Short mmCIF file of all heavy atoms in Angstrom, two decimals:
data_model
loop_
_atom_site.label_atom_id
_atom_site.label_comp_id
_atom_site.label_asym_id
_atom_site.label_seq_id
_atom_site.Cartn_x
_atom_site.Cartn_y
_atom_site.Cartn_z
N TYR A 88 128.27 89.41 73.73
CA TYR A 88 128.03 89.97 75.05
C TYR A 88 126.82 89.27 75.65
O TYR A 88 125.72 89.35 75.12
CB TYR A 88 127.79 91.48 74.97
CG TYR A 88 127.67 92.13 76.33
CD1 TYR A 88 128.80 92.37 77.10
CD2 TYR A 88 126.43 92.50 76.84
CE1 TYR A 88 128.72 92.96 78.35
CE2 TYR A 88 126.33 93.10 78.08
CZ TYR A 88 127.48 93.33 78.83
OH TYR A 88 127.38 93.92 80.08
N GLY A 89 127.05 88.56 76.73
CA GLY A 89 125.97 87.78 77.32
C GLY A 89 125.59 86.63 76.41
O GLY A 89 126.40 86.10 75.65
N THR A 90 124.33 86.24 76.47
CA THR A 90 123.85 85.11 75.68
C THR A 90 123.08 85.52 74.43
O THR A 90 122.82 84.69 73.57
CB THR A 90 122.96 84.20 76.54
OG1 THR A 90 121.85 84.97 77.03
CG2 THR A 90 123.73 83.64 77.72
N GLU A 91 122.75 86.79 74.32
CA GLU A 91 121.88 87.21 73.23
C GLU A 91 122.53 88.16 72.23
O GLU A 91 122.15 88.19 71.07
CB GLU A 91 120.62 87.88 73.80
CG GLU A 91 119.78 86.95 74.66
CD GLU A 91 118.54 87.63 75.20
OE1 GLU A 91 118.38 88.84 74.95
OE2 GLU A 91 117.73 86.96 75.86
N LYS A 92 123.49 88.94 72.66
CA LYS A 92 124.07 89.94 71.78
C LYS A 92 125.34 89.41 71.11
O LYS A 92 126.27 88.95 71.77
CB LYS A 92 124.38 91.23 72.55
CG LYS A 92 123.11 91.90 73.08
CD LYS A 92 123.43 93.21 73.76
CE LYS A 92 122.16 93.85 74.32
NZ LYS A 92 121.23 94.28 73.27
N LYS A 93 125.36 89.50 69.80
CA LYS A 93 126.48 88.99 69.02
C LYS A 93 126.60 89.83 67.75
O LYS A 93 125.60 90.15 67.11
CB LYS A 93 126.26 87.52 68.65
CG LYS A 93 127.35 86.92 67.79
CD LYS A 93 127.05 85.45 67.50
CE LYS A 93 128.11 84.84 66.62
NZ LYS A 93 127.80 83.41 66.30
N GLY A 94 127.80 90.22 67.41
CA GLY A 94 127.97 91.02 66.22
C GLY A 94 129.42 91.22 65.86
O GLY A 94 130.30 90.51 66.34
N THR A 95 129.67 92.20 65.02
CA THR A 95 131.02 92.55 64.60
C THR A 95 131.28 94.00 64.96
O THR A 95 130.48 94.87 64.63
CB THR A 95 131.18 92.35 63.08
OG1 THR A 95 130.81 91.02 62.74
CG2 THR A 95 132.62 92.59 62.65
N ILE A 96 132.39 94.23 65.64
CA ILE A 96 132.73 95.57 66.07
C ILE A 96 134.11 95.95 65.51
O ILE A 96 134.85 95.09 65.04
CB ILE A 96 132.75 95.71 67.61
CG1 ILE A 96 133.78 94.75 68.22
CG2 ILE A 96 131.36 95.45 68.18
CD1 ILE A 96 133.97 94.92 69.71
N ALA A 97 134.42 97.23 65.55
CA ALA A 97 135.77 97.70 65.25
C ALA A 97 136.28 98.42 66.48
O ALA A 97 135.57 99.21 67.09
CB ALA A 97 135.76 98.63 64.04
N VAL A 98 137.51 98.10 66.87
CA VAL A 98 138.12 98.70 68.06
C VAL A 98 139.37 99.45 67.64
O VAL A 98 140.23 98.91 66.94
CB VAL A 98 138.47 97.62 69.10
CG1 VAL A 98 139.14 98.26 70.32
CG2 VAL A 98 137.23 96.85 69.52
N THR A 99 139.48 100.68 68.08
CA THR A 99 140.68 101.48 67.88
C THR A 99 141.20 101.89 69.25
O THR A 99 140.52 102.63 69.99
CB THR A 99 140.39 102.74 67.06
OG1 THR A 99 139.81 102.38 65.81
CG2 THR A 99 141.69 103.52 66.79
N VAL A 100 142.36 101.39 69.64
CA VAL A 100 142.99 101.82 70.88
C VAL A 100 143.66 103.16 70.60
O VAL A 100 144.55 103.27 69.76
CB VAL A 100 144.01 100.80 71.39
CG1 VAL A 100 144.74 101.33 72.62
CG2 VAL A 100 143.31 99.48 71.74
N THR A 101 143.21 104.19 71.29
CA THR A 101 143.72 105.54 71.02
C THR A 101 144.85 105.95 71.95
O THR A 101 145.62 106.86 71.62
CB THR A 101 142.58 106.57 71.13
OG1 THR A 101 141.97 106.47 72.43
CG2 THR A 101 141.51 106.30 70.07
N ALA A 102 144.96 105.30 73.12
CA ALA A 102 146.03 105.65 74.05
C ALA A 102 146.15 104.60 75.14
O ALA A 102 145.17 103.95 75.51
CB ALA A 102 145.79 107.02 74.68
N ILE A 103 147.37 104.43 75.63
CA ILE A 103 147.62 103.70 76.88
C ILE A 103 148.36 104.69 77.77
O ILE A 103 149.54 104.97 77.57
CB ILE A 103 148.46 102.43 76.65
CG1 ILE A 103 147.75 101.47 75.69
CG2 ILE A 103 148.73 101.73 77.99
CD1 ILE A 103 148.57 100.23 75.36
N GLU A 104 147.63 105.25 78.75
CA GLU A 104 148.17 106.33 79.56
C GLU A 104 148.55 105.83 80.96
O GLU A 104 147.79 105.11 81.60
CB GLU A 104 147.14 107.44 79.70
CG GLU A 104 146.77 108.10 78.37
CD GLU A 104 145.69 109.15 78.53
OE1 GLU A 104 145.22 109.35 79.68
OE2 GLU A 104 145.30 109.75 77.52
N LYS A 105 149.72 106.23 81.40
CA LYS A 105 150.18 105.89 82.74
C LYS A 105 149.57 106.86 83.74
O LYS A 105 149.66 108.08 83.58
CB LYS A 105 151.70 105.96 82.80
CG LYS A 105 152.29 105.60 84.15
CD LYS A 105 153.81 105.71 84.10
CE LYS A 105 154.44 105.39 85.46
NZ LYS A 105 155.92 105.50 85.41
N GLY A 106 148.95 106.31 84.78
CA GLY A 106 148.42 107.14 85.85
C GLY A 106 149.41 107.27 86.99
O GLY A 106 150.57 106.85 86.89
N ALA A 107 148.95 107.84 88.08
CA ALA A 107 149.79 108.02 89.27
C ALA A 107 149.40 107.01 90.34
O ALA A 107 148.24 106.60 90.44
CB ALA A 107 149.63 109.45 89.81
N GLU A 108 150.39 106.61 91.14
CA GLU A 108 150.11 105.66 92.22
C GLU A 108 149.01 106.18 93.13
O GLU A 108 148.18 105.41 93.63
CB GLU A 108 151.38 105.39 93.02
CG GLU A 108 151.21 104.35 94.11
CD GLU A 108 152.47 104.13 94.91
OE1 GLU A 108 153.58 104.36 94.38
OE2 GLU A 108 152.35 103.70 96.09
N ALA A 109 148.95 107.48 93.30
CA ALA A 109 147.93 108.08 94.17
C ALA A 109 146.52 107.83 93.65
O ALA A 109 145.57 107.84 94.43
CB ALA A 109 148.18 109.59 94.29
N ASP A 110 146.40 107.59 92.35
CA ASP A 110 145.08 107.32 91.78
C ASP A 110 144.48 106.03 92.33
O ASP A 110 143.27 105.82 92.25
CB ASP A 110 145.16 107.22 90.25
CG ASP A 110 145.57 108.53 89.60
OD1 ASP A 110 145.50 109.58 90.27
OD2 ASP A 110 145.98 108.50 88.42
N MET A 111 145.33 105.15 92.88
CA MET A 111 144.88 103.86 93.37
C MET A 111 144.39 103.92 94.82
O MET A 111 144.06 102.89 95.41
CB MET A 111 146.01 102.84 93.27
CG MET A 111 146.48 102.57 91.84
SD MET A 111 145.23 101.71 90.88
CE MET A 111 145.26 100.10 91.65
N ALA A 112 144.29 105.10 95.38
CA ALA A 112 143.92 105.23 96.79
C ALA A 112 142.58 104.57 97.10
O ALA A 112 142.36 104.08 98.20
CB ALA A 112 143.89 106.70 97.18
#
Side-chain angles (χ1 to χ4, degrees):
Y88 185 77
T90 59
E91 298 180 357
K92 295 184 182 293
K93 178 179 179 181
T95 305
I96 60 174
V98 179
T99 303
V100 175
T101 57
I103 300 176
E104 297 177 359
K105 181 180 179 180
E108 183 181 334
D110 295 344
M111 297 292 290

